[in-house]
Amino acid sequence: MHAEIIASGTELLMGETQDTNSSYLGTRLPALGLELQQVSLVGDDPVRYCEILERSFRRNAFTFTSGGLGPTQDDVTRESIAAVLEEEVYIDNDQEQWLVNLFQSRGQEMPPRNIKQAWLIPSAVAITNHMGTAPGWWVEKDEKLIISMPGPPGEMHNMWATQIAPKLEGRS
């Protein structure tokens, strides 16, 4: 089955940060029976992100994204997926409570901007991030998957190894 990786962040395009997540995933996909067709880098531009995501979703059974799941305005992965799939985002109460509890466990109040990290769409399920505040998304629609993971390598590697790879085994 065909797969594509989309890594997002203007810092990747500008060479400020190296995209190690794509090579990490690229070495692991064949063991799951997935044939990587393309890796794309996209900046924090929602229009371009939607173009790349729509193309990947149209031609691949699996699309993996890394980055763009933070709470800031330039984190556009959730919005882009919702736009491409023509679904509305909503605040998931369980995710919101998880975030509130996470910040409280650190002796902090959750900043209002972090509510964005509690968003879901009807075809998405949150993937818990045990290393940070940005949950991933497991999106199933039209017999295709979009799996979105956070950009920091430690967070992405942990999410992949503990939650995503085990769930994908035997699925492709």
Side-chain angles (χ1 to χ4, degrees):
M1 303 202 104
H2 292 164
E4 186 168 329
I5 298 169
I6 301 170
S8 70
T10 300
E11 69 277 8
L12 299 174
L13 292 177
M14 302 301 293
E16 297 166 3
T17 303
Q18 194 171 27
D19 174 28
T20 58
N21 289 344
S22 295
S23 56
Y24 174 89
L25 291 173
T27 62
R28 285 154 178 81
L29 295 179
L32 296 169
L34 300 175
E35 183 182 340
L36 184 59
Q37 297 293 301
Q38 184 164 330
V39 174
S40 299
L41 296 178
V42 63
D44 302 320
D45 180 320
V47 173
R48 290 213 171 124
Y49 198 122
C50 285
E51 290 170 359
I52 291 170
L53 182 62
E54 193 278 326
R55 181 191 65 214
S56 177
F57 187 72
R58 187 176 62 246
R59 65 185 183 186
N60 296 291
F62 294 83
T63 299
F64 298 92
T65 73
S66 69
L69 296 175
T72 63
Q73 200 169 15
D74 63 343
D75 290 308
V76 298
T77 297
R78 291 179 195 87
E79 296 93 320
S80 299
I81 294 170
V84 167
L85 300 183
E86 299 177 340
E87 296 185 23
E88 293 291 323
V89 297
Y90 65 92
I91 296 171
D92 180 78
N93 294 331
D94 292 337
Q95 284 304 115
E96 180 181 17
Q97 192 58 54
W98 179 82
L99 283 166
V100 168
N101 292 344
L102 180 64
F103 278 95
Q104 284 178 347
S105 74
R106 297 174 177 177
Q108 303 171 337
E109 189 174 317
M110 184 180 82
R113 72 181 188 173
N114 283 76
I115 195 67
K116 177 179 181 177
Q117 293 177 305
W119 287 358
L120 282 178
I121 56 174
S123 62
V125 174
I127 306 169
T128 302
N129 183 346
H130 297 290
M131 308 288 287
T133 64
W137 272 14
W138 181 284
V139 181
E140 293 193 52
K141 188 158 185 170
D142 300 333
E143 299 181 22
K144 296 181 179 200
L145 281 175
I146 299 173
I147 299 171
S148 296
M149 297 165 279
E155 295 178 29
M156 196 222 57
H157 294 185
N158 179 273
M159 188 178 284
W160 174 265
T162 63
Q163 296 177 79
I164 295 169
K167 195 171 176 179
L168 287 174
E169 286 180 8
R171 184 168 180 140
S172 61

